Structures are given as C-alpha cells and as structure tokens.
Amino acid sequence: MSSTVELTKENFDQTVTDNEFVLIDFWASWCGPCRQFAPVYDKAAEENPDLVFGKVDTEAQPELAAAFGIQSIPTLMIVRDRVAVFAQPGALPEAALTDVIGQARELDMDEVRRSIEEQQAKSEADGSPAAPGE
C-alpha cells in the first residue's frame, strides 16, 4: 500500500486545505524520469508519515497541470498552508529531496506570508492605475 495520494481536480483543493504540508509530484506514465523519481518519492513518503505526499498524473489531470503552469515533468511542488513554497522541475536525487523537505519543514510560514503580502503590495503599487479620486 503506497503512502502517496492520487490527486485529482475533485480532491485537490480539499487535500491542500485540510493538510498544512502537502508535497505534489506532477508526473506521467510515459515519462522516464518520472518513473525513476517515483520510488525515491515513495520512500520519502514512508520516511515522513506526518506529511501528505500527493501525485498528479498530468495526462489524467491536465487542468491541474495547467493551473500550476507545469511546463516539464516531473515537477515537485511543496504547498504549506495553501502557499506553494517550493516548485522545481526534474527528478530530485534522494539526498536533495530529503534536504528540500527539511528546509520546507523549517520555514516560518508567518514570514513567508509577510513576504508574499509585500510582493503583492509592491506589484499593486508598481503597475495598477490610481483609484478614482486620487
């Protein structure tokens, strides 16, 4: 029994909302590097039972792949508190995956949210037309 969850557009939002830490492997059955990455991913899932390891089959779920702008597979994404904190295409070696998971665990999500808010405020200040009456 694999400890990874098959994510579809039906259960994706719920999974990401209900769990504060979700890893997502975007893959397809015809993709060689995806197949090489699968056992590495499954092993990490067994070693991190407290985290949710999801897989998105980009062939079966093109809308999800499109929603995240997935250009190449495999792409690994990590979502914490509904914020994508990591996204990288390519099959990660086991040590790199372990490292990335460790870094994502240590993130201060308050800080992450603050920097996102600052970036959003900056982009609104840079490029938006002035509100009426200004």
Side-chain angles (χ1 to χ4, degrees):
M1 151 95 198
S2 167
S3 40
T4 58
V5 186
E6 189 66 49
L7 295 176
T8 65
K9 58 181 194 289
E10 286 74 32
N11 71 354
F12 186 90
D13 287 343
Q14 180 104 43
T15 303
V16 171
T17 304
D18 289 356
N19 300 282
E20 64 185 38
F21 198 125
V22 183
L23 296 92
I24 305 159
D25 173 24
F26 291 88
W27 70 286
S29 55
W30 51 262
C31 156
C34 297
R35 288 203 300 274
Q36 288 167 351
F37 183 56
V40 175
Y41 194 67
D42 288 341
K43 184 167 184 245
E46 282 160 27
E47 289 169 356
N48 296 276
D50 58 320
L51 307 183
V52 176
F53 283 71
K55 292 176 88 86
V56 173
D57 180 345
T58 55
E59 292 287 290
Q61 304 296 326
E63 298 93 338
L64 280 179
F68 287 98
I70 303 301
Q71 300 295 332
S72 62
I73 49 174
T75 288
L76 175 69
M77 186 174 284
I78 298 180
V79 178
R80 279 196 58 190
D81 300 343
R82 298 194 292 253
V83 176
V85 294
F86 176 86
Q88 185 180 307
L92 292 172
E94 191 175 329
L97 178 58
T98 304
D99 189 42
V100 162
I101 292 170
Q103 287 180 34
R105 279 185 184 277
E106 287 164 21
L107 280 176
D108 177 342
M109 286 311 293
D110 290 333
E111 232 168 79
V112 170
R113 270 190 293 272
R114 253 197 312 278
S115 75
I116 290 171
E117 281 163 18
E118 279 166 21
Q119 280 171 341
Q120 284 172 343
K122 213 180 285 163
S123 65
E124 282 164 22
D126 291 347
S128 62
E134 278 186 5

